Amino acid sequence: MSTITESVDVAVPITAVYNQWTQFESFPAFMDGVEAIRQIDPTHTHWVTKVGGATREFDATITEQHPDERVAWKSDNGPTHAGVVTFHKLDDTHTRVTAQMEIDPEGFAEKVGDKLGVIEGKVKGDMKRFKAFMESRGSETGAWRGDVAR
């Protein structure tokens, strides 16, 4: 199991940044290898990914969510992973977003890629693309402000 932590500072207010992160169906716009995400209900999502020519589908559960603070999840099937994204107000117009994930790669190729830092590099790239996505827009595409207790 690998642990990855990556942070990015976004020049957008915390509420807009958090609101956008709750729009899971927009993740393909900035997450490499994510083909589609379907929000099933407030705490369940279905993911379709394509990495190295291999398409995978899995479900994930939101295990905790608090507006402008955090979103935590765990996979229900497929590759084992869990994590939390936290949001920190730096000032009225800047937000630090930190992703912490634990991933247990499946298969030989994924395990080798993990050892070579490929997965960590993908997360770093995804966070940079999220920053660019938010800063180019300046506002969110939608929001879900519900609370999911731990």
Side-chain angles (χ1 to χ4, degrees):
M1 176 110 20
S2 293
T3 300
I4 299 168
T5 302
E6 188 62 41
S7 292
V8 66
D9 292 348
V10 182
V12 176
I14 191 169
T15 297
V17 172
Y18 172 85
N19 287 349
Q20 185 61 53
W21 198 272
T22 68
Q23 301 306 292
F24 303 110
E25 293 174 352
S26 73
F27 281 17
F30 56 86
M31 283 192 173
D32 184 38
V34 175
E35 297 284 310
I37 300 174
R38 183 171 36 91
Q39 182 97 33
I40 298 167
D41 63 34
T43 60
H44 296 95
T45 55
H46 179 78
W47 292 60
V48 179
T49 62
K50 189 172 186 178
V51 179
T55 300
R56 300 219 174 167
E57 294 192 36
F58 63 90
D59 296 318
T61 297
I62 308 281
T63 57
E64 184 180 10
Q65 188 167 338
H66 306 295
D68 298 343
E69 292 179 17
R70 66 193 298 115
V71 178
W73 75 93
K74 68 174 184 61
S75 61
D76 298 329
N77 53 34
T80 302
H81 66 279
V84 61
V85 175
T86 55
F87 305 86
H88 307 275
K89 179 179 177 177
L90 299 177
D91 60 36
D92 288 345
T93 60
H94 292 85
T95 305
R96 177 164 296 144
V97 182
T98 301
Q100 297 172 295
M101 297 185 285
E102 289 189 350
I103 300 172
D104 191 9
E106 287 186 340
F108 178 76
E110 289 176 359
K111 288 180 182 183
V112 169
D114 180 40
K115 296 288 185 205
L116 295 174
V118 172
I119 296 173
E120 187 171 356
K122 287 178 76 61
V123 172
K124 182 176 277 201
D126 291 345
M127 295 294 281
K128 286 180 180 178
R129 285 185 293 277
F130 177 72
K131 171 185 171 67
F133 179 84
M134 282 306 300
E135 289 178 352
S136 70
R137 294 186 52 79
S139 64
E140 63 272 42
T141 62
W144 189 76
R145 303 289 299 172
D147 196 80
V148 176
R150 178 183 258 181

